[in-house]
Amino acid sequence: MARYIFVAGGVMSGIGKGIAVASIGRILKSQGYKVTAIKIDPYINVDAGTMNPVEHGEVFVTEDGTECDQDVGNYERFLDENIYNDNYLTTGRVYQAVINRERNLEYNGRCVEVVPDIPNEVISRIKKAGRKTKADFVLVEIGGTVGEYQNMLFLEAARMLRLSHPNDVLFILVSYLPVPKIIGEMKTKPTQYAVRTLNSAGIQPEIILARSNIPLDIIRKKKISIFCNLNESDIISAPDISSIYEVPVNFEKEDLSKRILAKFGLKKKKHDLKDWNKLVNVIKNAKESVKIGIVGKYFETGEFTLMDSYISVIEAVKHACYYFKKKPEISWISSEKYEKNPSLLKELKKYQGIIIPGGFGLRGVEGKIKAIEFLRKNKIPFLGLCLGMQLAVIEFSRNVIGLKDAHSAEFDKESSNLVIDVMEEQKSLLKEKKYGATMRLGAYRCEINPKSLSFNAYKNKVIYERHRHRYEFNNKFKEMFEKKGLVIAGINPEKNLVEIIELKNHPFFIGTQFHPEFKSRPLNPHPLFREFIKNSIKRKTA
Ligand code: GLN
């Protein structure tokens, strides 16, 4: 029988609840337990696929093609386990399932009500995910912050599950303790309010993870203990740290896994955070940096710059750098400036390697194509991911083969050289505006050309990688490309689709139709990112 740990957030969002959940998962796993994690997002969207990354961060894609919240990526990275569709809930998903069942007469004519039918659906989904993964612990992250109208029904589900399984459910609150500059003191009141709000939903948190920019002192601990009705030992200091990968280690300094196990009356089995500790040591001690540029467009929100849209790419770069005991130094480069001012392109020489990640829509595309031309000619290591690969194909068509109007059907349907196009079978669906069914999502098989850089990286003839795109390399142009030195390094055999392209006579130029970043893990960097960083290290910058 699984045990359930619900994690809710207090005071404000964006304080690292996902990382906290992922880290709790890691330390419980290090105690020898099987752990899985579920993300609940309170919005109506059935999945994250339809959301703008600047607003909501990266859309993470699982093996089974679920487009979900970026926190699921953190769970996979920290747990080193794949997460599947059952582990992702949104209000939209839950209501859709209940309404479908009602329409199918599955409620036997009775009145279907928000409470208890919605929380019951939530509970049955949580239990199902636990059963399917055979987990000892199911971590459930409730998105948003307590007190928000949107997540009430999920808190209600948590309360009801606790009522029916009193010994198998634990509540953790991740709360924020501000230290306002003008006061110069850490304030506990917002956390007290958050706990009271939870109390009014019938929930008493048993552990509080106290997020702040500095560690919690004993006076604050005592205050929270008295006002929020918890033992001092159950209030865990969680100050800001420079690397997210340090969080599990910090939690263990405060004996968090022991506290959790004690709540369930469980003993620790074996405690093994050795590899993780080693990783943290590398992160802390790496001196020499690797300068990597990411040329993209989903960075800006008002006056702020966000990295969340490319979080898996960034983490994959870090994993590969740590593998070589180097310090990643990642810069954001907005491609649009190269459209207005191509003379800026020479700044790319400052970097040891450049990544052009995935994307949708025309904005910034021509700037990225110009950047790729510069990287190709100046032999700067290049990794193109999904859209990045498609644009590398367009650049090659225009500037090496001489097909001046070469383009992707996504951007210019009138072009006479659609080197990136939709497959025949997608065309009728698109006409009917059935966009959802036209995306290639999730893991697909890819056969690697043994005479390629990619084979060198994977050391494997068959691999599986995750996709999220609508357009494909147009096979009509294949021969023409190969003659001019473009290597088709990976093919999906079922549909004969080009999955990887490379260039001859270049130190490292690889474009992948898939998103390798989704499969990179801190203790096991993705082979393509590893080779990309290896070649970037070799490059001395100007
Ligand atoms: N917009 C492109 C497509 O749909 C690439 C998508 C991506 O980069 N994820 O094919």
Side-chain angles (χ1 to χ4, degrees):
M1 163 73 196
R3 290 164 175 91
Y4 306 93
I5 302 176
F6 286 89
V7 183
V11 180
M12 64 185 199
S13 65
I15 55 171
K17 185 151 45 82
I19 298 294
V21 170
S23 300
I24 294 169
R26 184 76 214 183
I27 57 178
L28 290 174
K29 186 173 171 170
S30 82
Q31 293 273 14
Y33 289 96
K34 179 138 183 56
V35 184
T36 194
I38 295 178
K39 175 73 198 264
I40 296 182
D41 272 329
Y43 41 69
I44 302 282
N45 303 57
V46 171
D47 59 41
T50 53
M51 272 185 280
N52 180 342
V54 177
E55 200 186 308
H56 192 72
E58 170 190 86
V59 177
F60 187 77
V61 181
T62 59
E63 284 292 288
D64 61 0
T66 307
E67 295 174 282
C68 52
D69 185 78
Q70 57 176 355
D71 277 331
V72 176
N74 288 322
Y75 305 161
E76 286 204 351
R77 288 187 279 270
F78 278 68
L79 287 173
D80 201 6
E81 309 265 351
N82 287 338
I83 302 280
Y84 296 93
N85 189 37
D86 288 322
N87 287 37
Y88 183 54
L89 271 69
T90 67
T91 297
R93 279 189 168 196
V94 173
Y95 271 85
Q96 198 177 46
V98 170
I99 292 169
N100 285 344
R101 201 167 306 129
E102 183 274 330
R103 292 288 85 188
N104 290 339
L105 295 175
E106 287 175 46
Y107 289 100
N108 298 325
R110 75 169 170 82
C111 177
V112 183
E113 303 202 69
V114 170
V115 178
D117 292 299
I118 296 295
N120 274 340
E121 174 66 21
V122 173
I123 291 171
S124 91
R125 284 172 172 246
I126 291 171
K127 285 184 172 170
K128 183 174 165 204
R131 266 196 316 275
K132 274 207 172 171
T133 51
K134 300 196 174 66
D136 301 309
F137 287 103
V138 181
L139 305 177
V140 187
E141 178 182 350
I142 300 181
T145 318
V146 293
E148 271 175 48
Y149 188 70
Q150 288 207 97
N151 57 20
M152 280 304 287
L153 290 170
F154 297 110
L155 293 175
E156 187 68 355
R159 182 190 66 76
M160 284 162 62
L161 188 64
R162 165 73 175 242
L163 187 68
S164 58
H165 300 73
N167 301 320
D168 301 321
V169 175
L170 179 76
F171 297 120
I172 297 182
L173 177 71
V174 181
S175 194
Y176 186 68
L177 293 108
V179 187
K181 249 203 198 125
I182 33 162
I183 305 173
E185 184 195 2
M186 185 187 279
K187 304 306 280 179
T188 63
K189 195 76 83 200
T191 296
Q192 295 177 36
Y193 283 129
V195 171
R196 243 171 255 167
T197 309
L198 260 185
N199 288 162
S200 67
I203 291 172
Q204 169 64 42
E206 286 135 287
I207 291 175
I208 290 183
L209 303 179
R211 285 281 300 115
S212 186
N213 51 353
I214 51 171
L216 202 62
D217 65 1
I218 194 71
I219 294 181
R220 262 33 64 168
K221 225 178 221 191
K222 279 198 172 25
K223 231 181 184 171
I224 299 173
S225 162
I226 292 167
F227 287 102
C228 301
N229 200 20
L230 283 92
N231 287 328
E232 278 173 37
S233 53
D234 291 330
I235 301 160
I236 307 288
S237 171
D240 286 352
I241 33 181
S242 53
S243 167
I244 52 170
Y245 298 113
E246 223 184 308
V247 176
V249 176
N250 268 14
F251 279 173
E252 284 309 64
K253 281 187 194 146
E254 301 253 329
D255 279 334
L256 181 58
S257 67
K258 244 204 237 158
R259 299 298 312 150
I260 293 175
L261 294 180
K263 300 266 176 208
F264 288 107
L266 293 169
K267 285 209 182 76
K268 70 176 188 181
K269 290 192 192 167
K270 60 160 196 191
H271 193 218
D272 186 2
L273 213 51
K274 241 188 271 146
D275 286 353
W276 205 268
N277 277 320
K278 250 194 233 159
L279 171 77
V280 171
N281 269 335
V282 168
I283 297 173
K284 283 185 161 170
N285 296 317
K287 295 209 166 55
E288 215 177 298
S289 59
V290 192
K291 292 194 186 74
I292 300 297
I294 300 183
V295 178
K297 69 168 174 180
Y298 301 119
F299 303 130
E300 281 139 22
T301 155
E303 297 292 308
F304 300 94
T305 305
L306 273 188
M307 324 180 281
D308 271 13
S309 321
Y310 300 114
I311 193 78
S312 291
V313 177
I314 296 163
E315 294 310 314
V317 169
K318 289 185 190 168
H319 304 159
C321 287
Y322 299 149
Y323 179 87
F324 294 106
K325 302 198 166 39
K326 303 280 188 225
K327 199 163 82 190
E329 197 182 308
I330 302 172
S331 304
W332 318 111
I333 308 163
S334 165
S335 64
E336 281 169 288
K337 63 178 173 186
Y338 299 138
E339 294 169 9
K340 291 176 211 123
N341 193 354
S343 70
L344 292 175
L345 282 164
K346 52 182 182 302
E347 72 180 10
L348 293 174
K349 284 194 175 167
K350 287 193 306 213
Y351 302 98
Q352 287 164 282
I354 296 284
I355 295 178
I356 301 208
F360 293 81
L362 188 61
R363 183 168 66 85
V365 156
E366 290 301 327
K368 288 179 192 165
I369 294 175
K370 285 198 169 68
I372 295 171
E373 180 182 7
F374 189 87
L375 303 171
R376 178 174 58 77
K377 290 182 173 162
N378 289 281
K379 304 217 181 297
I380 299 169
F382 162 74
L383 184 60
L385 310 172
C386 204
L387 180 67
M389 171 267 200
Q390 297 176 350
L391 299 181
V393 170
I394 294 169
E395 191 279 320
F396 192 84
S397 323
R398 289 184 188 173
N399 301 326
V400 179
I401 304 188
L403 307 171
K404 288 294 170 213
D405 73 336
H407 227 314
S408 159
E410 180 177 3
F411 309 123
D412 178 8
K413 294 204 174 34
E414 306 308 314
S415 157
S416 49
N417 290 294
L418 287 176
V419 289
I420 304 292
D421 203 356
V422 283
M423 289 182 286
E424 275 309 312
E425 62 197 63
Q426 292 169 291
K427 286 186 182 160
S428 54
L429 287 169
L430 281 173
K431 263 195 200 133
E432 293 165 40
K433 290 200 172 341
K434 289 190 178 154
Y435 296 113
T438 57
M439 284 273 245
R440 189 142 73 101
L441 286 169
Y444 281 82
R445 181 184 162 95
C446 170
E447 286 178 4
I448 306 281
N449 175 348
K451 284 195 220 105
S452 63
L453 280 173
S454 301
F455 183 80
N456 239 347
Y458 284 106
K459 306 251 178 318
N460 218 334
K461 273 199 200 141
V462 178
I463 53 144
Y464 289 83
E465 291 283 3
R466 300 182 193 175
H467 293 248
R468 179 173 183 253
H469 56 98
R470 188 165 284 129
Y471 298 88
E472 307 281 351
F473 181 101
N474 187 342
N475 282 335
K476 262 201 322 219
F477 296 89
K478 213 168 173 176
E479 246 173 66
M480 201 189 281
F481 279 103
E482 285 178 311
K483 269 194 200 133
K484 291 280 188 181
L486 190 121
V487 180
I488 307 290
I491 294 273
N492 167 261
E494 284 80 27
K495 296 216 157 146
N496 191 24
L497 296 169
V498 171
E499 306 283 48
I500 310 177
I501 57 135
E502 296 178 1
L503 279 192
K504 283 185 186 150
N505 307 321
H506 192 288
F508 190 94
F509 191 105
I510 295 189
T512 62
Q513 187 56 86
F514 48 79
H515 290 272
E517 68 271 23
F518 292 142
K519 290 182 80 159
S520 184
R521 305 272 163 90
L523 297 177
N524 191 12
H526 190 284
L528 291 181
F529 277 87
R530 197 192 61 223
E531 287 305 289
F532 167 68
I533 292 298
K534 186 167 135 195
N535 282 282
S536 301
I537 292 170
K538 283 187 204 153
R539 181 181 143 76
K540 298 284 164 261
T541 48

